[in-house]
Amino acid sequence: MARPAQGARYRGSIHDHPDFDPGQDAEALYTAMKGFGSDKEAILELITSRSNRQRQEVCQSYKSLYGKDLIADLKYELTGKFERLIVGLMRPLAYCDAKEVKDAISGIGTDEKCLIEILASRTNEQIHQLVAAYKEAYERDLESDITGDTSGHFQKMLVVLLQGTREEDDVVSEDLVQQDVQDLYEAGELKWGTDEAQFIYILGNRSKQHLRLVFDEYLKATGKPIEASIRGELSGDFEKLMLAVVKCVRSTPEYFAERLFKAMKGLGTRDNTLIRIMVTRSELDMLDIREIFRTKYEKSLYSMIKNDTSGEYKKALLKLCGGDDDAAGQFFPEAAQVAYQMWELSAVSRVEMKGTVRPTSDFNPDEDAKALRKAMKGLGTNEGAIIDIITHRSNAQRQQIRQTFKSHFGRDLMADLKSEVSGDLARLMLGLMMPPAHYDAKQLKKAMEGAGTDEKALIEILATRTNAEIRAINEAYKEDYHKSLEDALSSDTSGHFKRILVSLATGNREEGGEDRDQAGEDAQVAAEILEIADTPSGDKASLETRFMTILCTRSFPHLRRVFQEFIKKTNYDVEHVIKKEMSGDVRDAFVAIVQSVKNKPLFFADKLYKSMKGAGTDEKTLTRIMVSRSEIDMLNIRREFIEKYDKSLHQAIEGDTSGDFRKALLALCGGED
């Protein structure tokens, strides 16, 4: 088993057992398997408490003492998933990988996901050891077997990775970085078709340090992450392999955290994946995987394994996991530093926000008005024509069409649409025809009408709009409903929640950059109000007011720095602490603000996912977001959606809606990722 480089901290969960005696362990295992039945508890306790190096010594001692093969005896005595896990632990890492690859390409069909995971994530040294182990164990050439079982660009990239010749020099040439960015751009985005060879050469050979800089510069140069280009230009298993390489370049532990989560989420468990990762990473980076897992999924790896598995199999996996970190939002010191650096990068990296609906060229409001009148005139309605026009015009162009429609026909287009179109499609079309501020004002009014209040809609709108958008909403609300938005909010909500909403509704958020000294003070206030400061000071009421003021009035760049300083001071993530320490609408409002500051497109991607998740669809939320973000950041939302949920927004809409409503939503979505 590879140990960390000199000076690096060991990040595995399994350590050498103190007072190790291989002969004694061999006797204990023999006793546990002797006679009728076997003592599985004793077997798992011993094997999961020894390092891989120590297990090899136990195997040798077992053969010397009893003339028998320990792995063969374990296979005979144990069954199912537990047997696969224990036997996997008994093999040296390279031989464990060799067995997994052999299984992946044996028989009918190929387990491409297994091949991708292993070859995309291993170091040069691990690849060389794998190739040698495969040769020794099966007397076959691994490259020949893989080329015989795969094809095309997928096969070519696997062969490149199998060479184990990725550059390892930490010294990076800025000129070469820029050249690679240009080559990748020309090979994909600028080319009719795709030059896959360039992607293979650069992603298969450059050092990780070099590629991280290439990815950063690619984002700056093109306005899109490299992952988006790969999804747009490549396909099938080749696309999946290249995305896995990119993920491992960015963070190998994060790649495995994601693989583990997907192995256990939903119905059924992908046990082979779960076993393979827990066995092969337990002495490499399991602590890093655990940290990232908890931060990313707001639950510990330990708790997810505990809830998703059973029996001795569960006990053995939990031993390999090495501990439960299920204190929401708390970081290991190392993870705090990683999070701190992530905030640094997010402050530097400015991603251009792009909508999916743009002004149409050769716009002719006269023709559009006539086409809409024709679509609604006479018996029946041509919904397809209505959808095609309205979803492919910018809001400014739709306002021109409304005016032209009235001038030509003396009729109100909105009234005609209401009478001709119904249900979810009507709400969507009418929403698109309204100016954005008037649409938001109407959504706020609806959220406060009748019995009960739709707090989620109030939070979503007021926590995410810019100052200019909020001021326009105030004017539209006053114009349309002859009452100030502040008065409406004050009469429909109460307590701290009312104060938060009213503060947001003033549209007076600061618009400057960050103030580092002030950010430190603000982080201290947050730590005190969330009751994790070392030295709390001041009365609680005063702190609550200051905390609300910080979240509701500080600029977004400044708040990013505050959240970063909060991590530095406390080792906690502010969002997770708010979720843990607060409750109700106040918690939801603060979380929405924090998530918007961190990544607004991801906030909307999450809301869209939840609106279509499970039985039934929340059409109101789905419509509201698709209408309000289509010209602002829908393209960014799409990218965040597929990155987090491993399926495109287009696919989610297609699977969860129907008819003309679906057709209109897909047009606003703007494409398949």
Side-chain angles (χ1 to χ4, degrees), residues 115-260:
L115 292 180
I116 289 169
E117 179 195 300
I118 291 174
L119 295 181
S121 66
R122 301 313 192 242
T123 64
N124 287 346
E125 182 186 357
Q126 289 165 345
I127 291 286
H128 297 153
Q129 291 170 351
L130 160 62
V131 171
Y134 192 92
K135 184 81 171 175
E136 184 176 332
Y138 305 110
E139 298 180 349
R140 297 178 65 88
D141 179 66
L142 178 53
E143 184 178 323
S144 297
D145 282 0
I146 282 181
T147 53
D149 211 65
T150 58
S151 61
H153 297 298
F154 178 58
Q155 177 200 85
K156 290 174 188 171
M157 185 62 177
L158 290 176
V159 169
V160 168
L161 295 173
L162 264 178
Q163 306 316 300
T165 54
R166 184 177 296 285
E167 297 161 2
E168 294 180 328
D169 190 355
D170 284 339
V171 179
V172 177
S173 161
E174 290 184 17
D175 290 341
L176 187 55
V177 167
Q178 293 302 329
Q179 185 61 53
D180 283 350
V181 169
Q182 187 63 29
D183 288 347
L184 287 171
Y185 189 49
E186 289 176 357
E189 300 286 336
L190 293 182
K191 191 177 178 67
W192 181 261
T194 305
D195 183 357
E196 290 87 353
Q198 278 288 16
F199 279 85
I200 290 171
Y201 177 73
I202 293 170
L203 294 182
N205 290 283
R206 299 289 193 238
S207 72
K208 286 190 171 185
Q209 184 64 26
H210 176 92
L211 286 173
R212 288 183 193 116
L213 290 174
V214 169
F215 300 161
D216 290 344
E217 292 302 314
Y218 189 90
L219 178 61
K220 289 177 189 173
T222 67
K224 60 165 48 174
I226 188 70
E227 291 91 340
S229 290
I230 288 172
R231 288 192 184 99
E233 300 297 328
L234 312 180
S235 61
D237 292 322
F238 180 46
E239 174 197 344
K240 291 171 187 169
L241 173 58
M242 299 305 258
L243 287 172
V245 168
V246 170
K247 285 178 182 177
C248 288
V249 166
R250 291 192 187 278
S251 169
T252 303
E254 184 169 359
Y255 170 72
F256 282 113
E258 187 179 302
R259 293 276 296 156
L260 285 168

Side-chain angles (χ1 to χ4, degrees), residues 385-445:
I386 294 170
I387 291 168
D388 190 54
I389 293 170
I390 293 177
T391 60
H392 291 95
R393 305 296 183 269
S394 68
N395 193 275
Q397 290 175 333
R398 293 182 206 124
Q399 302 318 308
Q400 289 185 56
I401 294 169
R402 281 180 71 177
Q403 187 58 52
T404 304
F405 194 90
K406 181 163 274 188
S407 299
H408 276 11
F409 307 111
R411 301 172 67 90
D412 180 18
L413 176 56
M414 296 286 279
D416 280 7
L417 285 169
K418 273 183 188 176
S419 71
E420 294 294 330
V421 186
S422 61
D424 295 324
L425 179 63
R427 279 187 285 274
L428 182 61
M429 291 296 101
L430 291 167
L432 288 167
M433 290 306 303
M434 295 178 75
H438 289 266
Y439 179 72
D440 278 346
K442 185 174 183 181
Q443 297 306 302
L444 291 169
K445 182 76 163 63

Side-chain angles (χ1 to χ4, degrees), residues 633-646:
D633 53 6
M634 185 55 68
L635 197 59
N636 307 81
I637 292 168
R638 272 171 41 186
R639 288 173 188 161
E640 296 294 345
F641 194 100
I642 195 169
E643 187 67 31
K644 182 162 183 180
Y645 298 110
D646 213 28

